[in-house]
Amino acid sequence: MTQTAFLILFLSFLAFGSVIGAFFGTADYRIRHKEPLLTSHCFCPSCHHKLADIHQVPIVSWLLLGGKCHYCKTPIPLRYPLIEGFFLLSYGFLFLIFWRQPLLLLGLCLTLVCILILLRCKGHFLHAFRGIAIFLGFHAFYGGFLLTIFASFD
């Protein structure tokens, strides 16, 4: 595999990790507040305004918005970009170690998410298991994409 191919895979996995982190933060909030996990939109918990897609880019949006809601200017808790950054770094670290074993890599990433969602959402197990099912779907979809890319570079 060329260095360019490796870099493309690594960057795409970092992006995937940050997206998973963004959904983790959303799922955590929604599970604890007994709200639907999958909806057609995300919203500000303060003003309940539907967020534009541009306001949902992991880490970048928080920085560009100055850590505040675009609509009501209420501060967005720092935990959201920290969660996104944690997942970005965790997925990047796991990729660097296990990139030659993509199924193990995806399994470890999914295990990390499952453990954290169960620890974070104590007492809301039914909703937590729904969240885990959604994360499983994300990882399965991305896993197919990742394996296709791996196959094209070998």
Side-chain angles (χ1 to χ4, degrees):
M1 179 178 297
T2 67
Q3 287 181 342
T4 302
F6 179 84
L7 185 60
I8 290 169
L9 283 171
F10 180 64
L11 292 176
S12 70
F13 213 74
L14 288 176
F16 178 60
S18 68
V19 168
I20 290 297
F23 185 70
F24 182 90
T26 300
D28 174 44
Y29 176 86
R30 290 182 179 181
I31 287 169
R32 289 186 293 109
H33 290 89
K34 297 181 182 175
E35 295 182 9
L37 291 174
L38 292 178
T39 62
S40 60
H41 64 279
C42 289
F43 59 89
C44 171
S46 294
C47 68
H48 296 284
H49 195 283
K50 179 182 174 182
L51 300 179
D53 292 339
I54 194 73
H55 300 142
Q56 299 178 53
V57 178
I59 303 169
V60 175
S61 293
W62 189 88
L63 292 171
L64 292 177
L65 291 170
K68 296 179 181 174
C69 172
H70 175 75
Y71 303 101
C72 69
K73 307 301 182 209
T74 300
I76 301 168
L78 182 60
R79 75 173 173 270
Y80 290 108
L82 289 177
I83 289 169
E84 294 162 1
F86 169 78
F87 276 94
L88 179 142
L89 293 174
S90 297
Y91 276 46
F93 178 74
L94 288 170
F95 181 87
L96 291 174
I97 295 172
F98 298 105
W99 70 274
R100 293 184 189 267
Q101 298 135 345
L103 293 177
L104 177 61
L105 171 63
L106 288 166
L108 290 170
C109 290
L110 182 59
T111 301
L112 172 69
V113 172
C114 292
I115 289 169
L116 291 175
I117 203 84
L118 287 172
L119 289 174
R120 186 75 181 122
C121 299
K122 299 178 267 197
H124 303 283
F125 289 115
L126 180 60
H127 290 289
F129 286 122
R130 288 181 186 151
I132 288 171
I134 294 166
F135 282 113
L136 178 62
F138 287 157
H139 283 77
F141 177 79
Y142 186 76
F145 174 72
L146 181 67
L147 292 174
T148 302
I149 293 173
F150 264 94
S152 70
F153 287 132
D154 284 339

